[in-house]
Amino acid sequence: MASYLYDVICRRAPAADKVFIENHDGAKTTYGDIASGSARFANALKQLGAQPGDRVAVQVDKSPEALLLYLGCLRAGAVFLPLNTAYTPAEIEYFLGDAKPRVFVCEPGNRDKLAAVATRAGVAHVETLGVKRDGTLMERFSAAAATFCDVERGPDDLAAILYTSGTTGRSKGAMLSHDNLASNARALVDYWRYSDMDVLIHALPIYHTHGLFVATNTMLLAGGTMLFLPKLDGDAIMKLMPRATSMMGVPTFYTRLLQHPGLTRDATKHMRLFISGSAPLLAETHREWKARTGHNILERYGMTETNMNTSNPYDGDRVAGTVGFPLPGVSARIMDPETGAATPQGEIGMIEVKGPNVFKGYWKMPEKTAAEFKPDGFFITGDLGKIDERGYVHIVGRGKDLVISGGFNVYPKEVEDEIDAVPGVIESAVIGVAHADFGEAVTAVVVKDKASTLDEKAVISALAERLAKFKQPKRVIFVDDLPRNAMGKVQKNVLRDAYAKLYSA
Ligand code: AMP
C-alpha cells in the first residue's frame, strides 16, 4: 500500500543517518527519523480513529515534530490542515466548525482556551504538541510503533486543506490533492536544481504553503537538509549562512538582511540560490542584493490554491520586477477581466493558470469554486499582470486592489514604482479611498527615510511629469511602517480601513 505524495517525496530518501532538519536548538531529525516518526504519528492518528479523508487540524508552533505530523497524516490517509498560529480562538472556532476535523492539535499552553471551542465545533479529539517535544500527542507518539502500513491514497485524493488568508470575507479552504503537491515538488526540484548536496535556511512559518510545501516537499524529494529557525532573525540567518547553500524567503527577509552589516560578497560567495516569493520583491531590493552579494535573487510566483506557477530561470536572466516563466506543465494566460477574452500581447489583464499544480476547489464551496474556474479548466488567480515579449510574467497587483478613479483603472504598482523612485522614499502602498467626486481617490501611504525632509507636496510634484493626472495620488500619508502579515504581504485592507474616511471627514 502506498500514500502517493509520501511515496513520491520520500521514496528516494538518502541514508537513514543523514540529517533532514537541524533545529535551532541543535536537535537533529534524520531521514531515518522521518520514516519512523511519521509512522508513529500515523499510528497515533489511527488510534484516534482517523479514517481516510478525515481532517487533522493543527495549530502549533514551528518544530520538526510538526512536520513529522504532516507526513504522518499523509501516511494515515488523513488530510493535513495547518492553521496560522496567529489565529484567535474565535477564528479557530470558525475553521473547526467549517472543516469538522477528527482531531485538533494545539499547543499544550493553549489547550484550556481551545478545548471548549473544539468541543462546540464538534471535534472528537483535542491533542497537544509543543516545541519541547511535549504534549499528549507526543506521548502517543512515544508509545506508538515505529512502522506503519500506509493507507492507500492516489494522486487525486486530498492531502491537505489550507485556508487562504482571506482579506475580504471569510477564508476559504483550498483543497490540495496528493498530485497537486507531488507534481509541484518534482517541478521545483528540477527547475531550481535541488539535490542532496543542498542545505536550506528555513526561517518561514510551516502553516503556509511557502514554508510547508515549497520548502519542505522540495527538500525531502531532493534529499537535502534544512536548518530550522523559528522565525526571521537576521543575526541567526547570518550565523547559519556559512553552512547553507540556499535560502527561501519572503521579500522582508531580503530587505532585513540588507540592513545587516555581515551581509557581504564573501559571506555569501558559496551560496547557490536565493529565492523570493509570496509578495512582490522590489526591483530596488533585487539590485541592492546583487550589488552587495553578487547574487541575483530568483523570484517566483505562487499561491495557496495553485502552489507555484511561475519562476525566473535558474540559468538565464532573472529579471527584477518579474516572476519569470510558467513552470513546466503549467499554462498561464492573461485575460480581460470584463470580457473574458484574451488581451493583446503585453497588455494588463487577469492572470489565469492551469496545470497539475492547481487545486481541486474550495472546501464546501462549490459555487465559489465554479465561479473561479473557466470552462476550459483555467483558474482565475485574482492577480492582475501581463506577459512581456520575452515571455516573462509581471504582476501588477491583486484585482481587488485595483483603484477605479473617475472611471479610469489605476494599477497601484505603477504608481508605487514611481513613488518609490522619488529620493527619500523607502517604500509605498497605493490604495483607493472612497471619494465623492472620483468614486475612489488614488491615495499613497509612504515610508520615508528618517533623515528625509520629503513632504506631501514634494511627492505629488515629483509625480506630475511621470504619471497621468488620474493616476496621481490625491493625498500622500507618511507612516513609519506599512502593515504586513507574516508572509511579508502589505495588508492593503488594513490601510483601506484606516483611511476609509480620509475624504469625507
Ligand atoms: P498566498 O495564497 O498567501 O500564498 O498568497 C498568494 C498571493 O501572493 C498571490 O495571489 C499574489 O497576489 C501574491 N504573490 C505571491 N508571490 C508573488 C510575487 N513573487 N510577486 C507578487 N505577488 C506575489
Side-chain angles (χ1 to χ4, degrees):
M1 300 270 252
S3 172
Y4 185 79
L5 175 60
Y6 180 80
D7 196 47
V8 168
I9 56 182
C10 294
R11 189 190 318 143
R12 294 197 310 214
D17 60 353
K18 170 152 188 187
V19 174
F20 174 52
I21 302 174
E22 185 180 313
N23 203 21
H24 62 101
D25 60 6
K28 294 190 170 84
T29 305
T30 63
Y31 276 87
D33 297 332
I34 293 283
S36 60
S38 60
R40 288 180 191 275
F41 274 125
N43 278 314
L45 293 173
K46 199 170 156 194
Q47 280 164 18
L48 291 167
Q51 299 292 316
D54 277 353
R55 277 76 56 212
V56 174
V58 179
Q59 189 197 34
V60 296
D61 289 337
K62 182 174 176 177
S63 71
E65 287 68 36
L67 281 190
L68 294 180
L69 174 58
Y70 153 57
L71 297 171
C73 277
L74 296 180
R75 299 184 69 180
V79 177
F80 187 63
L81 197 159
L83 292 164
N84 191 321
T85 46
Y87 286 142
T88 62
E91 288 165 317
I92 295 294
E93 185 162 359
Y94 165 74
F95 293 117
L96 298 183
D98 191 51
K100 297 264 176 276
R102 156 82 49 179
V103 183
F104 172 50
V105 185
C106 66
E107 280 292 313
N110 289 344
R111 193 196 157 95
D112 287 350
K113 65 178 182 213
L114 291 176
V117 159
T119 307
R120 273 204 301 277
V123 179
H125 301 281
V126 178
E127 295 284 323
T128 59
L129 172 62
V131 292
K132 297 195 190 90
R133 295 173 60 87
D134 52 338
T136 57
L137 197 62
M138 274 320 285
E139 285 162 26
R140 292 182 185 276
F141 172 100
S142 302
T147 55
F148 184 77
C149 179
D150 292 359
V151 172
E152 180 76 26
R153 293 273 92 185
D156 285 331
D157 286 319
L158 285 195
I161 295 178
L162 264 62
Y163 279 88
T164 59
S165 33
T167 47
T168 48
R170 282 291 194 192
S171 313
K172 305 180 287 285
M175 300 190 289
L176 297 156
S177 72
H178 280 245
D179 193 49
N180 289 154
L181 300 171
S183 64
N184 216 232
R186 284 197 189 99
L188 297 180
V189 168
D190 285 352
Y191 211 74
W192 296 338
R193 314 259 174 97
Y194 277 107
S195 77
D196 58 1
M197 307 289 285
D198 276 300
V199 178
L200 181 81
I201 295 176
H202 189 304
L204 293 158
I206 54 168
Y207 52 72
H208 183 270
T209 184
H210 195 163
L212 181 59
F213 301 137
V214 185
T216 305
N217 289 351
T218 302
M219 290 311 284
L220 270 175
L221 178 58
T225 297
M226 305 202 290
L227 305 176
F228 246 35
L229 291 173
K231 61 177 179 9
L232 170 57
D233 172 342
D235 286 335
I237 289 180
M238 289 314 301
K239 268 202 200 106
L240 293 177
M241 195 76 84
R243 301 175 47 211
T245 62
S246 178
M247 183 177 83
M248 294 183 189
V250 300
T252 323
F253 279 44
Y254 295 97
T255 49
R256 194 75 68 78
L257 287 172
L258 277 167
Q259 291 162 19
H260 197 287
L263 184 82
T264 60
R265 206 166 261 259
D266 232 29
T268 55
K269 69 171 184 291
H270 63 288
M271 290 290 279
R272 187 177 72 74
L273 186 59
F274 289 101
I275 300 180
S276 176
S278 292
L281 182 78
L282 293 180
E284 185 58 25
T285 310
H286 191 280
R287 283 192 284 271
E288 273 182 45
W289 190 268
K290 168 82 180 169
R292 271 280 277 287
T293 68
H295 289 277
N296 276 310
I297 299 171
L298 181 152
E299 186 171 6
R300 62 33 167 205
Y301 157 59
M303 57 196 301
T304 302
E305 289 93 328
T306 63
N307 300 287
M308 298 305 101
N309 293 311
T310 73
S311 169
N312 268 279
Y314 189 82
D315 295 319
D317 290 347
R318 298 180 190 164
V319 180
T322 81
V323 292
F325 307 113
L327 287 164
V330 179
S331 308
R333 68 185 185 191
I334 310 291
M335 306 297 271
D336 185 323
E338 317 266 276
T339 65
T343 54
Q345 155 68 40
E347 286 195 9
I348 292 171
M350 178 61 70
I351 303 175
E352 298 183 358
V353 295
K354 185 177 175 177
N357 53 316
V358 176
F359 75 139
K360 298 289 165 199
Y362 293 112
W363 173 253
K364 292 206 286 206
M365 289 185 172
E367 290 87 18
K368 186 84 197 148
T369 302
E372 303 209 0
F373 278 92
K374 289 284 184 65
D376 60 359
F378 274 80
F379 172 63
I380 306 168
T381 62
D383 290 313
L384 296 171
K386 64 176 183 183
I387 302 181
D388 69 20
E389 63 289 349
R390 294 172 69 196
Y392 286 83
V393 176
H394 300 235
I395 298 177
V396 300
R398 295 290 296 163
K400 60 179 188 298
D401 293 334
L402 181 75
V403 184
I404 305 182
S405 187
F408 293 108
N409 286 359
V410 180
Y411 298 103
K413 181 152 189 294
E414 188 187 353
V415 185
E416 289 159 6
D417 285 348
E418 290 296 345
I419 297 175
D420 294 349
V422 174
V425 171
I426 294 178
E427 59 175 350
S428 61
V430 164
I431 52 171
V433 175
H435 187 285
D437 291 340
F438 299 104
E440 281 184 312
V442 177
T443 304
V445 185
V446 173
V447 180
K448 66 176 177 180
D449 215 312
K450 296 246 167 350
S452 167
T453 54
L454 200 66
D455 61 9
E456 178 167 23
K457 250 180 142 168
V459 173
I460 293 175
S461 64
L463 301 177
E465 299 295 313
R466 312 279 312 162
L467 290 171
K469 186 86 182 140
F470 72 92
K471 297 180 189 170
Q472 292 171 18
K474 303 279 175 289
R475 289 290 314 270
V476 176
I477 294 149
F478 290 97
V479 294
D480 290 340
D481 291 298
L482 295 177
R484 284 200 151 81
N485 70 9
M487 299 312 293
K489 291 185 218 290
V490 175
Q491 293 167 304
K492 290 203 169 173
N493 54 325
V494 172
L495 294 176
R496 281 192 286 261
D497 288 349
Y499 301 111
K501 305 244 174 317
L502 190 64
Y503 300 96
S504 56

